[in-house]
């Protein structure tokens, strides 16, 4: 387990005394600029601009329907799969506007993986679930695939539990195991960013704790963006937090600051649970 | 002051049953009607078993030879009754049909389910279903006169009757079954599985091909099975186009005789009744019945599972779960929850990369090209189906519209080609349809009401429901034999309009039951609860609140079923007459019908062909009108309804 306090102090070292986000900028940060998202013309995300720092955990919180999932789904352009969803604005990453038509969503999604609210393993074996992505990318050698599956399952802290039943259907796993399998599956294509859309909402507290541990470990190597309706979870695992309301990013800053000294009245109301 | 309400005097004691005699009478009637399926099933089994028994009581017939003999020469001095030639004929037709219709159907379903935008889909699906609405006699005609010459051009060694032309046309006949059930199965694959695949960087084609199709595989398998069952049971196409000389071979360019074709031959040929050759039809029909029953049963179970939605998240089957448990207990592992505490998060080291970055760009281009190819191919499948439909309609129209005249439609026919008229056939078909309506609708609607509104889920109701499902899959030529045995011979109705319409009613009953049940199910449960909550009895609830809202749906379903009945040839093949100078005057008169007329004229000399085409045009026009009515009724009731 990781010491929560140690992490926090380390993070504090990166920020300046005022509590604003560190100004050190990297090309690997995800820079969202003036992003608007519409469902059949109706605005769901309203003029959001923000910088998501690499190798950190960024959480989006807010009441249901505030647009946090919609915003998340735009980062790997999953919104394009929804009929009637349109967007404008820019998301800069690795020196490119990834919303540009010239950027291929297929290769983008390989670099920016996603984990969904409901565990959604394919109705295949555990092995085939993990191997699906690498196979798409042209790895056919059985031995090589077996090596990848083992390494990835170890990364996702699932190996010990499933190593004797890799050929069994993934649907036979418990909910928490299924969700870690889905995280593992996302890791198997070696992305740089992992988007998580309320990954623990369907899980029990024990399973949730395991996923949070995993997220803590993941952020050393990956940029993690997580949507959660659970404020405690955001406080526990994230470095930066954005509060959204009615499609607008009301406040975005260091997690500690958002939860302890929110600048906006709306944020404070929400944090304190005094919300319409 | 008057404190009593206006209903005060009408209060009845709580112990008194409100549902009086009439209520119980109605429910008894509904119950009896629902048992009709049992009688139909008994009639089928009686017909087939009795006929088969008669067949085997002839001394020249041996069971072993019947099952394994390779010669089928039913008449003549030295008759042989070896079924294998008939089986090989059926196998060729069904197998060939599936080889063509399977890939095209799955491709078209994939396009409809995954690629077609909503508007295109709502336009294309009815077009494909239109293929199912065209009577089989029209397909047979098209196979013999349009596809046939084409095949003989390409393969000069092909005979006039051959398997291939039947197979090609039959493929498009079964296509709607495959497309619509596969499409349902693919649509039932949950969205989150597609998203999981796309989010991993799969292309749309990869997602469709590697996730959607495997997840829908059992539904696709069911659609193929139902397609096979339909091809095995289909009569008119094979009778017209595949041939009537049995031969044990697997040459698609030669003539063959499938089982249904032999049964039809006993109705039309010169086989005298009471001979082994005639009784053989019953034995063949029994084999056919069992075969289609088996296939439909298997497919039906799968489709039922899809409709219930258990395909969405496919849990391992019970046996598999047990196997897993045993495996776990051998490995000395306990429940999953405890297992979860086993693993620890270990340090993630991303420096160990396995996927080479080199060459990924080129690979991606190839993947996209594959995707475009795949999507175009699946679109092509649909285009082929639509082109076939348009060509068929165009071809019939081109050939037929020239002969349509007032005399042709209303005149009194003579025997010469110049004096042909279809007036008796039109009238025969209309009377047939009206009588079928009278016989089939009350019983079917009552059955549907009984199952959906009155009966509880008991062993008996499940048994009957399954029976009705099975009846829907009985090949039409088998129903024809049942009509012959039960109505014509047992009830001594002769080859009359009455016997013909009763036979068609047998055929239509399961269809009308199913569509009426759907109409009843569409009425919201809250309507029933509201009525029952005010103290209405079950029948009052149905009569006043459920039925009025279900009637438009029932009418639509009934019209569609009747439009099928009017196009059916095989069930009335044994009963209808070849020629009639006038329209039937009473229910005991003999009759001709439009599809029968097409059938007989297709087997005459070439001069009759345009007249057959003209008759097809008239038949299609009637069908189209009926379908248009059904659609208008559905549209208007949907527009008017406020729930």
């Amino acid at each position: 387990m990781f010491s929560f306090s140690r992490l926090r102090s380390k993070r504090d070292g990166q920020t300046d005394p005022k509590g604003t986000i560190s100004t050190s900028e990297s090309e690997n940060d995800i820079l969202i600029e003036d992003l608007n998202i519409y469902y059949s013309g109706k605005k769901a995300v309203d003029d959001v601009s923000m910088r998501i720092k690499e190798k950190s955990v960024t959480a989006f919180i807010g009441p249901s329907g505030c647009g946090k999932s919609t915003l998340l789904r735009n980062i790997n352009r999953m919104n394009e799969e929804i009929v009637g969803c349109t967007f404008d604005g820019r998301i800069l990453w690795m020196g490119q506007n990834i919303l540009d038509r010239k950027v291929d969503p297929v290769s983008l999604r390989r670099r920016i993986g996603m984990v969904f609210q409901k565990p959604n393993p394919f109705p295949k074996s555990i092995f085939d679930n993990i191997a699906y992505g690498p196979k798409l990318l042209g790895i056919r050698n059985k031995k090589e695939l077996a090596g990848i599956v083992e390494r990835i399952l170890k990364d996702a802290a699932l190996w010990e539990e499933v190593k004797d039943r890799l050929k069994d259907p993934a649907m036979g796993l418990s909910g928490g195991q299924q969700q870690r399998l889905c995280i593992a599956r996302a890791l198997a294509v070696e992305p740089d960013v992992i988007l998580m859309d309320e990954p623990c909402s369907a899980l029990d507290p024990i399973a949730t704790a395991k996923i949070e541990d995993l997220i803590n470990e993941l952020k050393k190597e990956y940029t993690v963006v997580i949507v959660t309706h659970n404020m405690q979870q955001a406080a526990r695992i994230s470095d930066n937090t954005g509060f959204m309301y009615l499609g607008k990013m009301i406040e975005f800053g260091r997690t500690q600051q958002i939860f302890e000294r929110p600048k906006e009245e709306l944020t404070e109301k929400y944090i304190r649970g005094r919300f319409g | 002051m008057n404190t009593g309400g206006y209903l005060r005097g009408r209060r009845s004691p709580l112990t008194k049953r409100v549902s009086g005699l009439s209520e119980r009478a109605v429910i008894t009637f509904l119950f009896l009607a629902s048992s009709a399926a049992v009688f139909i099933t008994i009639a089928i089994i009686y017909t087939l078993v009795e006929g088969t028994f008669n067949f085997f009581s002839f001394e020249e017939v041996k069971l072993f030879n019947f099952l394994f003999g390779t010669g089928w020469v039913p008449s003549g001095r030295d008759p042989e009754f070896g079924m294998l030639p008939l089986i090989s004929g059926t196998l060729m037709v069904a197998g060939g049909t599936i080889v063509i219709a399977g890939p095209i159907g799955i491709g078209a379903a994939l396009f409809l389910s995954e690629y077609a935008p909503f508007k295109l889909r709502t336009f294309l699906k009815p077009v494909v279903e239109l293929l199912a609405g065209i009577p089989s006699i029209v397909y047979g005609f098209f196979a013999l006169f349009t596809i046939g010459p084409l095949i003989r051009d390409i393969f000069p060694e092909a005979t006039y009757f051959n398997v291939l032309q039947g197979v090609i046309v039959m493929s498009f006949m079964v296509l709607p079954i495959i497309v619509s059930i596969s499409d349902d199965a693919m649509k039932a694959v949950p969205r989150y599985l597609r998203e999981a695949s796309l989010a991993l960087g799969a292309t749309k084609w990869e997602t469709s091909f590697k996730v959607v199709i495997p997840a829908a595989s059992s539904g696709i398998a069911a659609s193929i099975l139902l397609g096979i069952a339909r091809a095995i049971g289909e009569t008119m196409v094979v009778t017209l186009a595949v041939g009537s000389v049995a031969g044990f071979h697997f040459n698609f360019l030669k003539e063959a005789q499938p089982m249904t074709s032999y049964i039809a031959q006993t109705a039309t040929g010169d086989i005298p009744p009471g001979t082994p050759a005639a009784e053989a039809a019953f034995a063949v029909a029994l084999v056919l019945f069992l075969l289609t029953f088996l296939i439909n049963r298997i497919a039906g179970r799968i489709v039922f599972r899809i409709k219930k939605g258990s395909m969405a998240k496919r849990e391992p089957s019970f046996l598999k779960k047990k196997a897993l448990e045993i495996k776990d207990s051998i490995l000395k592992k306990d429940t999953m929850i405890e297992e979860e505490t086993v693993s620890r998060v270990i340090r993630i080291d991303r420096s160990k990369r396995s996927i080479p970055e080199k060459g990924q760009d080129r690979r991606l281009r190839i993947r996209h090209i594959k995707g475009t190819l795949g999507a175009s191919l699946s679109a092509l499948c649909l285009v082929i189906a639509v082109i076939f439909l348009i060509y068929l309609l165009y071809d019939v129209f081109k050939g037929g519209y020239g002969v349509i005249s007032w005399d042709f439609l209303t005149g009194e026919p003579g025997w010469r080609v110049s004096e042909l008229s279809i007036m008796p056939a039109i009238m025969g078909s209309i009377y047939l349809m009206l009588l079928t309506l009278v016989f089939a609708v009350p019983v079917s609607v009552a059955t549907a009401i009984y199952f959906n509104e009155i009966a509880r889920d008991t062993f008996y109701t499940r048994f009957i429901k399954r029976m009705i499902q099975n009846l829907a899959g009985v090949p039409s030529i088998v129903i024809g034999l049942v009509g012959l045995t039960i109505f014509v011979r047992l009830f001594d109705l002769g080859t009359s309009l009455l016997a013909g319409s009763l036979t068609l009613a047998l055929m239509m009953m399961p269809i009308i039951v199913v569509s009426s049940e759907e109409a009843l199910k569409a009425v919201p449960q809250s309507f029933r609860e509201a009525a029952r909550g005010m103290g209405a009895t079950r029948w009052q609830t149905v009569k006043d609140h459920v039925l009025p809202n279900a009637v438009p749906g029932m009418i639509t379903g009934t019209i569609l079923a009747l439009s099928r009945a009017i196009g059916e040839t095989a069930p009335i093949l044994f009963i209808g007459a070849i020629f009639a100078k006038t329209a039937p005057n009473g229910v005991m008169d003999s009759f001709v019908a439009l599809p029968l007329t097409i059938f007989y004229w297709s087997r005459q000399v070439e001069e009759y062909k345009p007249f057959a085409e003209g008759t097809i045009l008239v038949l299609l026009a009637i069908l189209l009108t009926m379908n248009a009515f059904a659609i208008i009724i559905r549209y208007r009731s949907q527009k008017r309804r406020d729930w």
Side-chain angles (χ1 to χ4, degrees), chain A residues 73 104 132 151 161 172 174 191, chain B residues 195 197 336 343 350 354 368:
Chain A
R73 288 170 59 95
D104 182 357
Y132 181 80
R151 187 168 58 76
E161 293 158 56
S174 71
Chain B
E195 290 199 327
S197 171
M336 287 169 178
S343 344
R350 270 188 83 208
S354 319
H368 275 304

Side-chain angles (χ1 to χ4, degrees), chain B residues 45-333:
Chain B
I45 291 169
Y46 168 79
T47 302
L48 297 181
V49 171
E50 196 241 16
T52 306
F53 190 78
N54 286 342
F55 173 61
F56 281 108
S57 63
F58 287 103
E59 59 186 61
E60 56 262 58
V61 181
K62 299 276 180 299
L63 180 64
F64 182 83
N65 279 341
F66 177 71
L67 291 177
F68 302 108
T70 56
W72 185 266
V73 191
S75 18
R77 188 171 302 174
D78 221 355
E80 270 186 84
F81 294 101
M83 240 199 116
L84 285 184
L86 300 187
I87 302 259
S88 73
T90 296
L91 275 184
M92 265 196 284
V93 169
T97 298
I98 281 320
V99 166
I100 299 176
I104 295 182
I106 296 168
L110 189 70
F111 182 79
L112 280 178
S113 161
E114 305 300 311
Y115 288 97
F118 181 76
K119 273 190 181 159
L120 190 64
R121 182 186 156 79
T122 44
F123 168 73
L124 281 176
K125 231 188 156 183
V127 171
V128 173
E129 273 154 13
L130 208 60
L131 280 169
I134 294 174
S136 59
I137 185 74
V138 179
Y139 280 104
F141 185 90
F142 188 71
L144 189 59
F145 292 110
T146 309
I147 304 292
L150 280 175
I151 286 175
R152 289 196 297 278
D153 275 353
I154 303 168
F155 306 103
E157 71 269 31
T159 49
Y160 183 74
F161 298 107
N162 62 63
V163 180
L164 186 60
Q165 60 199 22
V167 160
I168 289 175
V169 168
M170 190 98 86
S171 300
F172 289 94
M173 254 181 102
V174 304
L175 200 64
I177 300 176
I178 297 181
V179 172
S180 92
I181 293 173
S182 295
D183 176 60
D184 285 350
M186 290 179 199
K187 277 273 167 216
V189 172
R191 196 188 156 74
Y192 57 73
L193 286 184
R194 292 184 181 83
E195 290 199 327
S197 171
L198 291 171
L200 285 168
T203 62
K204 192 159 188 169
W205 173 250
E206 287 161 344
T207 302
S208 306
F209 206 71
K210 292 180 179 164
V211 175
V212 176
I213 289 188
S217 57
S218 53
I220 295 171
S223 79
I224 299 277
L225 282 179
L226 289 172
I228 291 177
R230 178 83 200 269
I232 290 176
E234 168 50 37
T235 308
M236 297 327 291
V237 171
V238 294
T239 305
L240 269 183
V242 174
S244 50
V245 176
F248 188 49
H249 63 79
F250 286 96
N251 185 344
F252 280 81
L253 296 177
K254 270 166 66 180
E255 181 171 6
Q257 185 170 44
M259 292 189 269
T260 49
S261 173
Y262 180 72
I263 303 172
Q265 194 191 347
T266 63
T268 57
D270 34 27
I271 296 172
T275 59
E279 299 297 331
F282 292 92
V284 173
L286 184 62
V287 174
L288 177 71
F289 173 75
L290 292 176
L291 199 62
T292 49
F293 174 79
L294 196 72
I295 298 174
N296 277 320
R297 214 45 254 140
I298 298 169
R301 284 177 80 107
I302 303 173
V303 173
F304 179 71
R305 280 212 332 250
I306 299 173
K307 285 210 171 127
K308 254 174 59 185
S310 57
M311 306 304 286
K313 192 153 189 172
R314 212 187 316 162
E315 297 272 349
S317 68
F318 176 75
L319 277 178
K320 242 181 185 164
K321 256 187 197 158
K322 270 276 168 264
L324 286 179
E325 271 170 34
I326 293 165
K327 198 171 156 193
D328 281 357
S329 67
I330 290 169
L331 292 167
K332 292 247 170 349
K333 277 193 175 177

Side-chain angles (χ1 to χ4, degrees), chain A residues 11-12 14 49 51 65 75 87 105 112 114 123 127 130 142 150 162 171 177 185 198 203 209 212 219 223-224 234 263:
Chain A
R11 190 163 58 218
D12 282 355
Q14 288 173 341
S49 299
R51 175 182 286 274
I75 299 175
F87 47 79
I112 304 183
M114 187 159 193
F127 185 95
I130 307 287
K142 283 246 162 71
E150 177 173 348
V162 302
M171 293 294 185
Q177 288 172 325
R185 185 176 62 186
E198 305 201 21
L203 305 182
E212 289 181 5
K219 73 170 184 182
T223 309
V224 177
K263 288 175 188 152

Side-chain angles (χ1 to χ4, degrees), chain B residues 299-607:
Chain B
R301 284 177 80 107
I302 303 173
V303 173
F304 179 71
R305 280 212 332 250
I306 299 173
K307 285 210 171 127
K308 254 174 59 185
S310 57
M311 306 304 286
K313 192 153 189 172
R314 212 187 316 162
E315 297 272 349
S317 68
F318 176 75
L319 277 178
K320 242 181 185 164
K321 256 187 197 158
K322 270 276 168 264
L324 286 179
E325 271 170 34
I326 293 165
K327 198 171 156 193
D328 281 357
S329 67
I330 290 169
L331 292 167
K332 292 247 170 349
K333 277 193 175 177
D334 278 315
T335 57
M336 287 169 178
I337 309 269
E338 273 176 69
E339 273 179 56
E340 287 215 26
T341 57
V342 175
S343 344
R344 284 252 162 275
V345 178
I346 50 169
R347 276 205 69 84
I348 292 173
D349 183 2
R350 270 188 83 208
S351 58
K352 286 190 235 149
R353 288 205 165 226
S354 319
I355 297 166
E357 283 308 312
K358 233 180 96 184
Q360 284 300 346
D361 281 348
R362 203 177 136 262
R363 177 169 293 281
L364 188 64
R365 266 205 305 283
I366 294 171
R367 286 168 62 199
H368 275 304
I369 291 169
K370 269 190 194 167
T372 316
L373 273 179
S376 328
L377 220 59
S378 70
L380 184 68
C381 293
L382 208 58
V383 170
I384 291 174
V386 174
I387 288 178
F388 179 89
L389 177 70
I390 293 172
Y391 186 63
L392 186 151
L393 293 177
Y394 162 78
D395 197 54
V396 170
F397 186 79
K398 190 188 67 177
Y401 89 107
V403 300
I404 301 234
S405 66
W406 192 245
D407 269 355
F408 181 67
L409 294 177
T410 60
E412 189 173 288
W415 279 105
R416 266 176 301 229
V417 176
S418 56
E419 300 164 355
L420 289 177
S421 155
I422 54 170
M423 182 274 290
I426 294 178
M427 294 317 288
S429 274
I430 289 175
Y431 287 150
L432 202 57
M433 197 171 63
L434 291 177
L435 277 176
T436 303
L437 179 88
V438 170
F439 293 131
V441 170
V443 173
S444 311
V445 170
T447 304
I449 293 175
Y450 184 73
F451 284 130
N452 210 49
E453 306 294 329
I454 311 285
R456 294 185 178 85
D457 192 28
T458 62
F459 176 77
Y460 172 77
T461 58
R462 277 200 299 275
F463 178 69
I464 307 258
K465 272 190 175 176
R466 179 166 297 181
M467 222 170 228
I468 292 172
Q469 270 174 21
N470 292 338
L471 284 179
V474 176
S476 51
I477 191 75
V478 173
I479 299 285
L481 277 179
V482 174
L484 177 71
T485 305
I486 305 291
F487 298 129
V488 176
R489 293 188 185 152
L490 202 62
F491 291 1
D492 209 15
L493 298 176
T495 53
S496 62
L497 192 59
L498 188 61
S501 48
L502 281 168
T503 309
L504 273 181
L506 294 189
M507 178 105 220
M508 289 306 120
M509 194 206 140
I511 304 174
I512 302 178
V513 170
V514 170
S515 63
S516 304
E517 263 203 279
E518 270 164 24
L520 290 170
K521 283 200 180 104
V523 178
Q525 197 59 32
S526 57
F527 286 24
R528 296 180 184 89
E529 282 163 4
R532 293 305 295 277
M534 290 189 62
T537 64
R538 271 194 283 188
W539 173 242
Q540 284 168 343
T541 307
V542 173
K543 179 180 58 144
D544 298 335
H545 302 279
V546 180
L547 268 187
N549 290 305
V551 158
M554 285 181 174
I555 294 178
T556 310
T558 304
I559 294 178
L560 291 178
L562 284 179
S563 78
R564 245 193 81 180
I566 201 175
E568 281 285 354
T569 321
I572 49 172
L573 208 53
F574 292 94
I575 302 170
I578 299 175
F579 180 78
K581 227 170 161 56
T582 54
N585 283 321
V587 290
M588 297 310 284
D589 264 12
S590 68
F591 67 98
V592 290
L594 288 170
L596 287 174
T597 305
I598 300 167
F599 179 62
Y600 292 122
W601 287 354
S602 319
R603 292 152 70 93
Q604 299 297 328
V605 286
E606 193 82 350
E607 287 162 282

